[in-house]
Every structure is written in structure tokens, then in C-alpha cells.
Amino acid sequence: MVVSSKKQGMFTPFRALGYVTADVPLSIQARGQAHFITSSIGDSFQIFDGDKMRLLFVGPKLESPITSIASFKDLTFASSGSEIIVFNRAKESYRLSAPDSSAAISNLFVLGNLVFGLGDDNALRIWDFFERGFHNEISFSSKFTVTAAMHPSTYLNKVLVGSQQGTMQLWNILSMKLIYEFKSFGSPIVTLEQSPSIDVIAIGLLDGSTVLYNIKVDKEILRFRQEGKVTAITFRTDGQPIMATANMYGDVSLWDLEERRLMHVMKGAHDAAVHTCMFYNGMPILVTASSDNSIKQWLFDSLDGLPRLLKLRSGHHKPPTGIRHYDDDGRTILSAGQDQALRSFSIIRDAQNVELSQGSLEKKAKKINMHIDALKLPQIVQFAANQAKEKEWDNVLTCHMNQSVARTWNHQRKAIGRFSFATQDGSAVKSVALSVCGNYGFIGSSKGRIERFNMQSGLLRMTYAGQNGHTKAVTAITSDGVNRLVISSSLDQTVKFWDFNNGKLLETIRFDTAISHMVFHNDSSLLAVATDDLCIRVVDIETKKVVREFWGHHNRITDMAVSRDGRWIVSSSLDGTIRTWDLPTGYLIDGFRVADIPTSVSLSPTGDFLATTHVNHVGIFLWANRSQYENVPVRRLDDEDLFATAAALPASGGHEQDAVPEEPETDAETDMVVADEDKDAKMQTPQDLVDDMITLSTLPKSRWQNLLSLEAIKKRNKPIEAPKAPAQAPFFLPTLPGAVPKFAVSDDAANDAGKDGSRIFKNLDVDMNELARLLKSGNESGDYSLVMEYLKTLSPSAVDVEIRMLPMDAGQTHLCHFLEYVVYALDSQRDFELVHAYLNVFLKIHGDVIQAGGERLREALTTVQQRAEGAWGRLETKLQYALCVVDFARGAGF
């Protein structure tokens, strides 16, 4: 695994979007009425709810790609290299490996407490996952190259193995002996599947044949033939004699076993080889998966017995070429890929990922017997989107490879729009743009013409061309926020400024090389231009002068993005680097190198994430902006500091921070290393910082607010009728008074009473509740901190009970102790609202006793009054000062 040595960069790996499944067969598990689908996505895996296709779990990133996957209850088995990694609910538990073997493992399947795997050294290995150890192995001769294995139903301790030579062998895994070897079928065996009938096995061959074979009597029952290699077989178990087989071209064939004929071919069910095809047990639902990065559910509910698409989870099956954030919250990303698709991805909920529809292509493909890709629009070269008029009309505009027509799309309907904007000269459309208001769309042609169309009516409104117009292909178009200017760049090395309304050329800026990309920041009126001399230049459109130049890329720049505040420019290049430039200082402030060339970048409007796409990857990768939640030093950096080591791309389940080596943190102002002991130091609380500060407790408001309204709550919850006496009164042991019931007599006390023969309690403290004991202890030591800690643990009703049950003696000692505790708490200036709430309850309950009390009780109450008035006086002074400042600011019109 590639690990970055630069953890303290501006952007850190977050997660990957758009991965559904790879070229490894799924593991589908039925648990009661629920189904769970486990799919491999390269070096990780995902678990879906099989009914609603919701993503449940994502596994961690592994060191090498997953070659096979299996599941058993909460356990998931994934073979990676020569190991089997066992996960419990997507968390790694342990690993299994064979001693003295480095052979790669594939074709996992589970039988009881054993998991089987085929090694590339032509051996079938067995592990006991209950014992977490290696069990045994079966080695095959060079004349029998194993390709598939399975357990025939009701065949106890038996395993059926298929070979590349077209023969099968039946083995006993207890005795490790060969029981029987079947004759050759004339073609290599690709897959084996158990049929609903006992003893009958479906065998898929490389030549496209599917053989139903009775292994008990060693006899062939049926043989079907389809186009292409058989990659998967399944049977309906809901009473219909239907068998489904898949091939390497993405087709699924349905066979009627009663009439022994081909029933239907689901042509183009997938865009690549189908590796999984399975009916849910007892249900007319077929699940198919392919290496085209999609999982589909088909429902057989029509009268003719043909399926329809029920649910779908998919992503790009070829690498995306361009991405842009769509909404102002940065939650949606639009992506165009080499698979001729325009997709919308949600970074919040994967279930909202969808491909924008191009019409009823499946019906058309069936009618003319063509693959659906042949009917799709060509690959998108450039697209533009604007959320402003999403609810009124089409708000996405795309141009396609070698097409003279640009097409509109409606993001709200997730479908292609009403209009097609054709160039007047018939040349190919090379660039598109939308105005800030969303009313107009621009297209730029390969001959240098720019045309403006109305997005509502689809009519041509203006042409920007002429003798002084562009002479080569237009690479980018943009307009200002008030529809005053139209700005265009071209391969003729110029940037031109046009009058929006009359189409006249206002000014031209010429560069030394062709312009490949251009991005305009509306608020700052700055224009970023990327040229073929590997430089990014920033132009002020008011003065028409270059104000910044950024040099550093060593190969062609593939894309650019400008932050919402106009401070950063993020660029990607064929040199494999993604760089962040600071506009105010003109410095390179961040960058990282990746192993796979980045093709497009997009910064979220909120600045939270950077999204990137890369060659040979079908996903979209999100990088978290650390400056949003952490103090990141911004300083000039050199290439040696940034690009020494390639950074690892984000994983689907999120980035494992533990896999990245830690570096010492730096202070943003002094750029000095922060000592480790300072990082581990205990955080100071506010009361440790300022002695005169009055602090509140961290308890919920309900803990003290309910205490003040406890009488009203009790009255509201008063029972309707009196409790009824039980038929036979139960026996109750004597308990001590208090919120927490305790037995009155302990074993030691009973023994002591038995010794001296007296039943009179000599310890008068037995009538003291826990609060009274803590108050007495606090009075003796002068520290009442334990009293507050105890009261914090009680509920409002328990606090009320404890205060009510304070013992009464002649001197009202415990009441005085409670008032002394209140003085202590007010002097500490902590838990301000709790202390006053407890004092409120105390005075309500014992107010009459205090009024008739002695001199000591009145003195304690006077002290409490003085402390409370002093604390409230300081607090009121601060509040009045703050209110005066606010009133002054309002009156001054700030």
C-alpha cells in the first residue's frame, strides 16, 4: 500500500465515491426473510441490504486486491494474496493462512465450520474458522488443473471439483480420499452450481454449454448452448422451472427446463462480463452483478414471464473525465465519464447516486437488436451546470466528442432535456457554459464561433464571431455575474472579451502558447488561465493585466478549480501532482503526488472537500480540507517538501489515519515544532484559567429545571385512583431512609447485637441518610466537594428525597451543615445554577423550621444571603455592561 509521508498537508484522504462491485463474484446470504449482498470493490468490500439495496457496511482497505469473497452469518471471508482475512461486521477479526505456502487463494466457499479456497498452485485448502487454524489440503496432479469447487447438497463431507481439462472429481474431506472421477465434458469447466433437484449439478463450460448432470448415476440430463463462456448459473425456486445463465458479454439467458428451450435473452443486461447471477430463494427476483460496476435486481412479475429492472446500484464502469460540484452545499457532484454517461453522486447518501437518463434506450436496443452503448450519446467532452433555474427548465449543458450539437439536461428530473443546440457552421462543439442567472447557454465551436442560446426556449440569441474572433477551437467560455461580459479562450493563444448584449469584441489578451483551461471567479473579477507552457496566469478583468503567474507543473495541466473565497487555485497535471496556489501571496502552499494521473479536480463551495478523478479508476476521490477543522500553517513550500512520496488515494470506507506515520505538529504563527508533552498535557478548564470566573455545571438543564418544578410535575403525574392492597402482603426487610434503599441491619451489626444480648441500637447514625453523612464529613474536614459530586449523580426526585430526609435534632445541626455547604459552593464559584436550585428546594422544604430556628441557623442563613448577593451582583454587572455595548452598537448603526 502506498503511504504518504506528508500527513500535515492541506488535504488528507477522506473517502471514495462510485464503487459498487469489481470483477469478483458476490456473496449473497439469506438470513430469515432478509438478504445481504457482499461485494468486492478492489482492495475493500461493501455489504448491502439485499431488499432495498442500501449500503450497510464498508470494509477497511487491504494491502492487496480481494480475489474472492464469502460470508457466514456475521462473518465475511475475503481472500487477498495468500491469506484469508476474516471480518465481523466489516471489522477485521483475524487472518487465516496455510503453513509454508504463498499461493494466491480464490474461489472461497463455506461448509459448516470450514472455509475452502483454491490456490494457484493447484491445491484445495481447508481452514477451520471456529478453531482459527489451518485444517488440511488436497493437492491435485498436473493432469487435473482445478478451476471450480462446490459442495453438493445432502452429500455429507463431500466436495465436487471441476478442472480445466473438463473432468470432475468427488472428494471426501474427512478421509481426504478421492471417491469418484467423472468423464470429460469436452471443454474446460468454468462454474458449478447446485440445482433445486438433489444429485443434479449445473456445469458451465468455456464453450458456452450448460450441462445438467446427475452425479449420483453419472448421467447427463440436459445440455444447452449459449453465446460466449458461461460465467454464472442460477435456478428459480418459487415453483417455476427456469434456469438463468450469464455470459462474458453481459447477457443473461433464461431457459425453460420443462420445454427444454431458450425462453429469453436479456441482451445487454450489463456492459461487461456478468460474474454473479442468483435468484433469491423462493422469490421471483434475480440478482446480477458485473465488472461494469453495477448490481441489478430483476423482477419476474409479467404475464409473459420476462423480467423488468427493479433496483439498481451502479457507478461509472470506465474512468470519469470531468467532475464539478453542483449545489451550493457541495453535497452533489456531477461526473462525466468515458462510459458515455453523465452521473450525479451524493457525498451524503450513496443511495442517491444516479445516472441521468438518455431516454428509453433499452427498448430501442431490443427492437433493433443492438447493444445499448451503441445508442448512447458519445463521450462528454465538457459540461456546465447551474442550480439557479433547476425548477423552471433545463440547467445542465453538455458537448460531446465530434458532435456539432450540444444537449441540455434537467438535473431535477435526472434526464436529458428538451433542446439540442447546433452550431451554425456545422463544426464540432468544443466547449459549453451557462450564465450565472441560468437563462442562457453558450457553446464554442472548433472553428472559433461562440453562440448564445436561451435555455427556456432553445432559441439562438447572439453570435460572438467576426473578423477579430477566434480562429481556432474555443476551449472555455464564461460570463460575469451581471451579464455584461462574455469571456472566451481558444487554442489561438488569445482570451477575448465580448459585449454580452451586442456581441462586439471589446478587448483581446494574447499569450505565447495555446490556452487549455480557463476558470473565472466572479466575486474578485479574477480569471485563471492555464496555458501549454505549463503556467497558470491570473488576469484582472478590470485592468486586463496579468497579476499572478504560477510555475511549477512539469507536464500538461489537466484541470483547475478556484475556491469560493477566491484565495486558492487547485490544479492537476499529467505529472501526477495536485497543487494548491495562494493568490494573495503568489506561493505554492500545498501539493501532493499520486501514483495515478489526476484528470479532473473540483473544490466544494463550502471548502470542505476536494474531489479528484484519476486514470484507471472509476471512482471519485474526496480529500478533506484540514484547514476547516484544524490550524494548518500556510507558508511557501518547495517540490522537495511535497512530492517525495506518492500519497495513497482515499478508500471507500474512509482513510485509516493509523496507517500514516505521524509528524510533529507545527504552530501556524511561529512555524515551530510543538513538543509531544504539550500535546498530551491535560486541557485546562475555565475555572483553572480565571479565579474570578463564575462557571455553570455541565449537567443537562432538565436536571435542575425539573427540580424547581418538581411539585407541578408530581401533581401532573398523580395517579387517578389509590393503590389497591395486595391479597397477601409480601414480606419486607427493614431498610434505611434515603433515595437509595439499604437494609437496616448488616451481618456485623446482627452478630454484635447477639453477643451482648441487647436489641437496642447503640449507633444513632443509622437514621442518617447518605447526604447527612456527607454533610457531617464535610463539616469535620472543611471540604464539601463530595456533597456536590453525590448530588450530581441523583435525579431531581432523588435530590428532593435526600433534602427532605435530613435528620432533625435539637440544634438543627444537619440543616446548618447544608447551609455551610451552600456557602462553600458559592465561594468556589462553580456549578452556579445547580447550587441555587438546591438552595431553592432546601428553603421550600425547611423554610418553616429555619424561621423558628436558633441563632446558629440564622447566622448561617445570613452568610448564604451575603454570598449569593455578591455573586449575583458581579454577574449582573457583567450582563448590564454587555447589554449597554449591544445597545450602543445598535444606535451607532454598526
Side-chain angles (χ1 to χ4, degrees):
M1 181 175 64
V2 181
V3 178
S4 172
S5 63
K6 188 188 72 61
K7 179 179 182 291
Q8 298 301 320
M10 191 75 68
F11 298 100
T12 184
F14 180 64
R15 61 169 297 203
L17 304 175
Y19 284 98
V20 179
T21 183
D23 55 355
V24 175
L26 306 179
S27 174
I28 302 177
Q29 182 183 187
R31 303 189 66 178
Q33 297 297 323
H35 294 82
F36 297 93
I37 300 174
T38 306
S39 70
S40 164
I41 52 174
D43 51 8
S44 183
F45 67 91
Q46 299 179 144
I47 302 178
F48 295 92
D49 175 8
D51 298 327
K52 296 185 178 180
M53 296 298 291
R54 293 178 302 180
L55 181 63
L56 301 178
F57 301 101
V58 179
K61 189 175 183 178
L62 302 180
E63 296 82 4
S64 56
I66 294 175
T67 56
S68 181
I69 204 158
S71 56
F72 175 78
K73 294 185 178 180
D74 287 341
L75 299 181
T76 300
F77 304 88
S79 61
S80 178
S82 60
E83 291 183 316
I84 297 177
I85 301 96
V86 184
F87 300 88
N88 190 330
R89 297 176 68 86
K91 292 185 179 181
E92 182 176 337
S93 296
Y94 54 92
R95 299 194 175 201
L96 301 173
S97 60
D100 303 327
S101 175
S102 59
I105 302 170
S106 61
N107 295 80
L108 294 180
F109 65 96
V110 178
L111 175 59
N113 61 325
L114 303 178
V115 57
F116 297 75
L118 300 182
D120 60 359
D121 58 351
N122 203 29
L124 176 64
R125 293 185 171 83
I126 310 170
W127 291 265
D128 188 329
F129 58 86
F130 283 5
E131 300 293 336
R132 300 190 179 187
F134 181 72
H135 181 70
N136 216 327
E137 72 173 55
I138 302 173
S139 297
F140 301 94
S141 66
S142 58
K143 296 181 180 180
F144 187 89
T145 306
V146 61
T147 56
M150 65 159 295
H151 165 64
S153 294
T154 71
Y155 281 62
L156 187 62
N157 300 322
K158 306 298 187 301
V159 171
L160 186 66
V161 184
S163 71
Q164 191 174 358
Q165 289 74 23
T167 59
M168 294 191 306
Q169 294 181 356
L170 186 65
W171 286 77
N172 187 313
I173 59 174
L174 282 185
S175 62
M176 305 305 291
K177 293 182 179 180
L178 175 63
I179 298 176
Y180 189 77
E181 184 167 2
F182 300 87
K183 63 183 180 180
S184 176
F185 293 95
S187 180
I189 295 175
V190 179
T191 182
L192 299 172
E193 183 67 28
Q194 175 69 52
S195 74
S197 177
I198 298 176
D199 303 325
V200 178
I201 304 296
I203 306 167
L205 304 180
L206 186 64
D207 63 359
S209 299
T210 302
V211 180
L212 295 182
Y213 201 84
N214 190 315
I215 59 174
K216 185 175 183 180
V217 298
D218 193 7
K219 182 180 179 180
E220 180 178 317
I221 302 174
L222 289 175
R223 182 184 286 256
F224 300 102
R225 185 72 176 266
Q226 69 175 20
E227 180 185 358
K229 177 180 71 174
V230 180
T231 56
I233 308 173
T234 186
F235 295 87
R236 285 185 67 172
T237 56
D238 60 337
Q240 298 294 326
I242 303 298
M243 178 180 69
T245 60
N247 68 6
M248 57 189 297
Y249 303 116
D251 306 328
V252 177
S253 300
L254 302 176
W255 308 88
D256 191 322
L257 299 181
E258 280 189 351
E259 299 183 5
R260 302 189 177 191
R261 65 177 181 88
L262 177 64
M263 178 180 173
H264 177 66
V265 178
M266 300 164 58
K267 198 75 174 177
H270 288 273
D271 296 316
V274 179
H275 54 65
T276 302
C277 186
M278 180 176 177
F279 279 103
Y280 283 161
N281 188 28
M283 301 172 66
I285 296 178
L286 174 66
V287 177
T288 61
S290 167
S291 53
D292 66 353
N293 197 27
S294 68
I295 301 175
K296 299 181 180 181
Q297 287 186 359
W298 308 85
L299 178 63
F300 291 75
D301 61 348
S302 60
L303 296 177
D304 56 3
L306 301 183
R308 63 178 177 90
L309 185 62
L310 180 64
K311 292 184 178 68
L312 166 70
R313 289 299 297 268
S314 65
H316 285 293
H317 65 269
K318 291 183 181 180
T321 56
I323 54 172
R324 289 293 181 267
H325 281 84
Y326 172 72
D327 53 354
D328 293 334
D329 296 332
R331 297 184 176 182
T332 305
I333 298 176
L334 288 180
S335 171
Q338 297 177 11
D339 55 359
Q340 305 165 254
L342 179 65
R343 290 184 170 272
S344 175
F345 290 92
S346 171
I347 68 173
I348 304 298
R349 296 187 62 185
D350 286 346
Q352 296 178 353
N353 298 348
V354 66
E355 178 183 352
L356 274 66
S357 172
Q358 298 186 20
S360 303
L361 299 183
E362 292 185 7
K363 294 182 180 179
K364 295 178 182 178
K366 290 179 181 178
K367 287 182 180 180
I368 59 179
N369 196 23
M370 290 183 63
H371 197 277
I372 192 171
D373 280 352
L375 300 178
K376 283 187 176 181
L377 295 174
Q379 178 182 331
I380 295 175
V381 177
Q382 195 178 108
F383 69 90
N386 191 330
Q387 196 182 9
K389 299 294 183 180
E390 179 185 40
K391 297 181 180 180
E392 282 78 11
W393 50 73
D394 298 345
N395 64 325
V396 181
L397 187 60
T398 60
C399 62
H400 303 261
M401 185 176 293
N402 301 324
Q403 289 271 304
S404 60
V405 176
R407 289 172 170 83
T408 63
W409 305 71
N410 192 298
H411 186 270
Q412 189 176 30
R413 294 190 296 108
K414 303 294 188 297
I416 196 167
R418 298 167 53 197
F419 303 115
S420 298
F421 300 153
T423 56
Q424 300 300 306
D425 56 4
S427 57
V429 181
K430 292 296 183 181
S431 57
V432 293
L434 291 175
S435 62
V436 176
C437 61
N439 294 322
Y440 300 101
F442 302 87
I443 63 173
S445 70
S446 59
K447 293 184 178 180
R449 290 174 60 92
I450 302 170
E451 293 163 353
R452 172 164 59 91
F453 291 83
N454 187 290
M455 292 296 292
Q456 182 180 9
S457 63
L459 299 178
L460 176 65
R461 293 305 186 190
M462 184 58 63
T463 300
Y464 305 90
Q467 295 181 352
N468 297 325
H470 291 295
T471 58
K472 293 184 179 180
V474 179
T475 56
I477 309 170
T478 187
S479 63
D480 64 351
V482 294
N483 291 345
R484 182 175 56 92
L485 291 176
V486 175
I487 309 170
S488 60
S489 63
S490 171
L491 295 179
D492 62 6
Q493 307 176 7
T494 62
V495 172
K496 295 185 180 291
F497 298 83
W498 310 82
D499 187 284
F500 186 95
N501 296 313
N502 57 33
K504 292 183 179 180
L505 180 64
L506 301 178
E507 195 155 347
T508 300
I509 300 177
R510 183 169 294 275
F511 295 92
D512 296 332
T513 55
I515 301 168
S516 58
H517 296 86
M518 181 179 70
V519 181
F520 178 59
H521 186 259
N522 217 330
D523 295 339
S524 63
S525 298
L526 295 179
L527 188 71
V529 178
T531 55
D532 285 350
D533 59 358
L534 313 183
C535 177
I536 299 174
R537 295 176 173 86
V538 181
V539 179
D540 187 345
I541 67 169
E542 299 296 335
T543 62
K544 309 298 189 296
K545 292 183 179 180
V546 177
V547 295
R548 288 286 188 275
E549 288 188 356
F550 298 110
W551 297 84
H553 283 296
H554 303 296
N555 207 329
R556 180 175 172 271
I557 297 171
T558 58
D559 201 4
M560 290 190 307
V562 181
S563 62
R564 174 63 68 90
D565 59 4
R567 185 178 181 89
W568 294 347
I569 296 178
V570 180
S571 60
S572 60
S573 170
L574 292 178
D575 60 10
T577 63
I578 298 175
R579 301 170 185 250
T580 304
W581 313 87
D582 188 61
L583 268 171
T585 62
Y587 292 157
L588 172 68
I589 59 172
D590 187 68
F592 55 92
R593 180 171 61 86
V594 289
D596 299 289
I597 295 173
T599 55
S600 184
V601 295
S602 178
L603 265 174
S604 65
T606 57
D608 296 339
F609 299 106
L610 170 69
T612 63
T613 59
H614 303 263
V615 297
N616 302 325
H617 290 276
V618 297
I620 298 174
F621 300 93
L622 296 181
W623 308 76
N625 183 0
R626 291 179 53 242
S627 65
Q628 295 280 18
Y629 56 87
E630 195 173 336
N631 191 12
V632 180
V634 178
R635 55 192 175 94
R636 187 173 185 173
L637 300 174
D638 298 325
D639 287 7
E640 295 181 358
D641 301 331
L642 300 173
F643 310 117
T645 307
L649 293 177
S652 294
H655 186 67
E656 295 185 39
Q657 298 292 345
D658 295 338
V660 182
E662 295 283 349
E663 287 189 358
E665 297 182 0
T666 57
D667 185 83
E669 298 180 359
T670 61
D671 199 28
M672 297 294 291
V673 175
V674 180
D676 292 338
E677 55 268 20
D678 292 339
K679 294 191 297 180
D680 298 333
K682 183 180 179 181
M683 184 184 70
Q684 287 184 314
T685 56
Q687 53 265 36
D688 295 329
L689 297 176
V690 181
D691 294 336
D692 296 333
M693 181 180 292
I694 296 176
T695 61
L696 305 180
S697 69
T698 57
L699 294 180
K701 288 184 179 180
S702 59
R703 295 289 291 274
W704 59 272
Q705 284 183 341
N706 291 347
L707 191 60
L708 301 177
S709 307
L710 197 58
E711 294 296 332
I713 295 174
K714 289 181 178 180
K715 187 176 181 180
R716 183 185 61 195
N717 298 336
K718 184 178 180 180
I720 299 176
E721 58 182 26
K724 296 180 180 179
Q728 183 177 359
F731 173 74
F732 291 99
L733 292 177
T735 57
L736 292 175
V740 180
K742 294 182 180 179
F743 293 123
V745 182
S746 63
D747 294 338
D748 296 338
N751 293 335
D752 294 342
K755 288 180 181 179
D756 54 14
S758 175
R759 295 186 179 182
I760 301 175
F761 290 111
K762 298 181 179 180
N763 185 5
L764 299 179
D765 287 343
V766 294
D767 293 333
M768 294 174 57
N769 60 354
E770 185 65 23
L771 177 60
R773 291 192 184 91
L774 292 175
L775 288 173
K776 181 179 179 181
S777 174
N779 175 260
E780 295 173 354
S781 63
D783 183 5
Y784 288 94
S785 58
L786 293 179
V787 177
M788 177 57 76
E789 296 301 324
Y790 173 68
L791 291 176
K792 282 183 179 181
T793 61
L794 302 179
S795 64
S797 58
V799 172
D800 182 79
V801 170
E802 286 286 346
I803 294 177
R804 286 182 184 275
M805 300 192 68
L806 287 175
M808 298 291 180
D809 55 10
Q812 308 298 341
T813 305
H814 295 93
L815 300 185
C816 293
H817 290 169
F818 189 89
L819 292 175
E820 291 172 1
Y821 151 70
V822 173
V823 173
Y824 173 87
L826 291 175
D827 290 342
S828 67
Q829 303 184 38
R830 302 181 186 181
D831 305 314
F832 188 74
E833 82 283 17
L834 274 183
V835 174
H836 282 80
Y838 297 153
L839 179 60
N840 180 281
V841 175
F842 176 79
L843 294 177
K844 280 184 179 180
I845 296 173
H846 302 292
D848 53 346
V849 178
I850 294 174
Q851 288 181 355
E855 186 67 24
R856 181 185 175 189
L857 198 58
R858 286 193 293 271
E859 289 179 357
L861 190 61
T862 303
T863 305
V864 170
Q865 182 180 6
Q866 294 174 353
R867 296 292 199 280
E869 289 177 350
W872 275 110
R874 292 196 304 274
L875 187 61
E876 186 177 7
T877 302
K878 298 296 183 182
L879 291 174
Q880 292 296 336
Y881 177 79
L883 292 174
C884 289
V885 172
V886 172
D887 291 340
F888 174 76
R890 288 176 178 174
F894 291 157

